[in-house]
Amino acid sequence: MVQWLDCRIIKFLCRHCAAFSFCWEVVELAATRLIALHKNKGKSVAACLKSRTDYAKNPDKTNKGELVSSYECSPLTADEEFMLSKRQYEFVTGRIQKNDVIAYQIRQSFKPGEITAEEANKVGYELAMRFTKGKYAFIVATHTDREHIHAHIIFNSVNQFTGEKYHSNARSYYQQIRAISDRLCREHGLSVIVQGEPARSVSYIEWLRQSKGQPTFRSMLEADLRDAIRDANDLGHFFLLMEHKGYEIHHGGRLGFRLRGQERFQYPGRR
C-alpha cells in the first residue's frame, strides 16, 4: 500500500517533472561510486558530518549497528573525531578550509543474493583500508534494507597523522577504487563489471551509459529517488536524503538532479 507521504512526494515530483516515471532497476553487479560530501548552506561542518554519519549508521539499516565497522575512530563518535582532525590541521598549519568538501563516501553495491551482510562489511572494510592505505579514518556501514546489500564507506578528508588532505579525480576512481573493488570481489568470488576499459578518460557515469546491460545514471538516479521517497518523513527530508546520496538539486519549473562534478542536471521523465 502506498503511504500518504509517498503520494505527497510523488505528486510534488509529478508537478515538477512532466511524465515522471520510476525505473525499478538495481545494480546487478558489484559496483562502486565515489562521492564528495559537501557542507550544506546554513549548516556547520560539524552538523553536516553528524548528519552524514548518522544516516550511514542508521540502526534500522545496519542490524541495530552490528554492521558498522571503523578504522582509527569509534563508530559512535566518528563525526566528532573527524572534526578534531580538521581542527588540529587548522591549528598546526594555520590554513582554513576553503572548499566545502567535508568528507568522502564510497558506495559499494552487490548483486542481490550473492553475498551476506557480514561479508559485505568485510569487503567494504578491505576496500576502504586498501584505498586509503590507512591514512584516513573511516567507517563502513552495511545496509540491508534493500534487495541489494550495499555499504556506505565514509572517510575523513584530512589525514589524522599528517594533516594531508585527500583530493579526488578521475584517476582515483578508475585506477584505484574500481580496480581495488574488482580485485576484492574476484577474491571473494563475487560478480564484477567485465566490460573493457573506456578508450578515453570519461566519468564513471558516461562509461556506464556506454556499457550495454549495465546500469545507467538514469537507472541509478531513479533507484535512489525510490529509496529516498520510501525513507523520507516529509518533503524536506526527501531533499536532504537525496543530498546525502551525493546529488545537487535544481529547483524550478522542473526538478533536476546531478552528482557533484557533473555538468548537466538529469530531469526524471525526460528521455
Side-chain angles (χ1 to χ4, degrees):
M1 178 180 294
V2 179
Q3 297 180 352
W4 173 83
L5 172 62
D6 294 348
C7 292
R8 181 186 174 193
I9 295 177
I10 291 172
K11 287 179 180 178
F12 178 87
L13 290 170
C14 286
R15 288 200 301 270
H16 291 77
C17 309
F20 186 88
S21 62
F22 288 108
C23 173
W24 306 106
E25 297 179 55
V26 296
V27 177
E28 288 299 329
L29 300 176
T32 54
R33 258 196 288 176
L34 175 63
I35 304 169
L37 301 180
H38 292 251
K39 177 181 176 294
N40 297 111
K41 293 182 180 178
K43 285 190 174 183
S44 67
V45 173
C48 292
L49 277 173
K50 179 173 174 53
S51 177
R52 298 298 199 276
T53 54
D54 282 353
Y55 176 80
K57 298 184 298 180
N58 187 335
D60 294 332
K61 301 173 182 288
T62 59
N63 193 21
K64 299 181 180 180
E66 292 185 5
L67 297 172
V68 180
S69 54
S70 64
Y71 169 75
E72 287 296 331
C73 64
S74 166
L76 299 176
T77 57
D79 58 309
E80 298 174 6
E81 295 180 61
F82 282 16
M83 274 303 303
L84 180 60
S85 296
K86 296 178 188 297
R87 287 169 180 157
Q88 289 176 333
Y89 168 76
E90 293 176 358
F91 177 78
V92 172
T93 65
R95 300 174 183 173
I96 305 299
Q97 179 173 326
K98 295 183 179 180
N99 62 39
D100 63 348
V101 176
I102 60 175
Y104 289 88
Q105 177 178 216
I106 301 172
R107 291 182 63 189
Q108 186 179 38
S109 302
F110 300 93
K111 182 177 179 179
E114 191 174 64
I115 191 172
T116 65
E118 291 75 17
E119 185 179 11
N121 191 265
K122 291 179 181 179
V123 172
Y125 188 96
E126 291 180 55
L127 169 61
M129 183 59 74
R130 293 190 191 183
F131 175 66
T132 65
K133 298 179 181 179
K135 295 180 180 180
Y136 300 88
F138 62 78
I139 63 170
V140 181
T142 303
H143 289 191
T144 60
D145 58 324
R146 299 290 179 264
E147 182 182 6
H148 63 287
I149 292 174
H150 57 283
H152 294 256
I153 303 166
I154 300 179
F155 64 92
N156 199 357
S157 60
V158 175
N159 183 319
Q160 71 269 29
F161 303 116
T162 66
E164 177 187 1
K165 299 188 71 175
Y166 174 79
H167 296 284
S168 173
N169 53 47
R171 181 175 298 178
S172 67
Y173 175 76
Y174 281 112
Q175 295 187 1
Q176 298 177 44
I177 295 178
R178 181 180 153 200
I180 295 171
S181 179
D182 285 356
R183 190 178 308 118
L184 280 169
C185 287
R186 290 191 180 97
E187 291 174 7
H188 287 262
L190 304 172
S191 302
V192 297
I193 297 173
V194 295
Q195 264 79 356
E197 295 288 333
R200 60 188 178 86
S201 178
V202 296
S203 71
Y204 180 46
I205 302 304
E206 285 182 281
W207 178 71
L208 286 177
R209 286 173 174 167
Q210 298 167 4
S211 304
K212 285 188 176 182
Q214 298 300 327
T216 63
F217 171 64
R218 180 183 295 277
S219 69
M220 288 194 292
L221 168 60
E222 290 172 339
D224 284 339
L225 284 168
R226 182 187 101 176
D227 289 350
I229 286 175
R230 178 176 175 178
D231 293 341
N233 297 322
D234 54 42
L235 193 56
H237 189 206
F238 164 77
F239 289 130
L240 181 62
L241 291 176
M242 290 301 293
E243 290 177 353
H244 283 189
K245 293 175 183 292
Y247 292 98
E248 292 182 31
I249 303 173
H250 175 261
H251 298 270
R254 294 171 61 89
L255 276 177
F257 301 86
R258 70 181 179 188
L259 291 173
R260 304 280 183 176
Q262 283 188 297
E263 294 183 3
R264 297 181 180 180
F265 285 94
Q266 178 74 51
Y267 298 90
R270 178 181 292 179
R271 300 293 175 179

